[in-house]
Amino acid sequence: MSYKDKKVITIGMVSELTGLSERKIRYYEERKLIYPERSKGGTRKYSFLDVERLVDIANKMEDGMQTFEIRRMEQKQLQKQEVRERMLRGQLNAAFNMRK
């Protein structure tokens, strides 16, 4: 796991780093655009990738996109990645089976 993936940053620090209010960050979580982990005490913890993602979301919102559009666009990107991975696996399996 990369240091960018580790969820160690508090919402206050994320707010400072991004310039977004804590309220807006929680709103993006409610809209299922960001998924912080929770500590045992319930504190939200974010990663550096989450911080980058929040900045990207905020930029898209400033450009006039709605949260549902951002979510839909990201779902399409994930589907494309999954298709690519399946194709690569299929090609590897085909190449492997041809050698037998």
Side-chain angles (χ1 to χ4, degrees), residues 37-73:
E37 288 182 2
R38 298 283 185 138
S39 70
K40 289 180 182 178
T43 303
R44 291 173 173 85
K45 296 289 186 170
Y46 298 86
S47 69
F48 286 102
L49 289 176
D50 291 332
V51 171
E52 291 173 0
R53 182 159 164 57
L54 283 164
V55 170
D56 184 53
I57 291 166
N59 288 335
K60 287 176 180 172
M61 296 288 290
E62 279 185 29
D63 290 342
M65 289 186 78
Q66 301 292 317
T67 55
F68 75 91
E69 293 172 310
I70 296 169
R71 194 172 44 251
R72 187 176 351 133
M73 189 172 68

Side-chain angles (χ1 to χ4, degrees), residues 6-87:
K6 292 183 180 180
K7 306 256 184 181
V8 296
I9 308 169
T10 63
I11 195 168
M13 184 60 68
V14 171
S15 178
E16 266 187 67
L17 291 169
T18 62
L20 298 171
S21 68
E22 292 182 17
R23 185 172 184 269
K24 188 163 277 195
I25 295 166
R26 286 191 291 271
Y27 172 73
Y28 292 152
E29 180 185 357
E30 288 171 15
R31 301 299 294 167
K32 308 252 188 268
L33 294 172
I34 194 83
Y35 300 94
E37 288 182 2
R38 298 283 185 138
S39 70
K40 289 180 182 178
T43 303
R44 291 173 173 85
K45 296 289 186 170
Y46 298 86
S47 69
F48 286 102
L49 289 176
D50 291 332
V51 171
E52 291 173 0
R53 182 159 164 57
L54 283 164
V55 170
D56 184 53
I57 291 166
N59 288 335
K60 287 176 180 172
M61 296 288 290
E62 279 185 29
D63 290 342
M65 289 186 78
Q66 301 292 317
T67 55
F68 75 91
E69 293 172 310
I70 296 169
R71 194 172 44 251
R72 187 176 351 133
M73 189 172 68
E74 290 171 356
Q75 287 170 344
K76 285 181 182 179
Q77 288 173 341
L78 282 175
Q79 288 171 346
K80 285 180 184 179
Q81 285 176 336
E82 289 172 5
V83 168
R84 238 183 256 126
E85 288 174 11
R86 274 187 263 145
M87 285 180 10

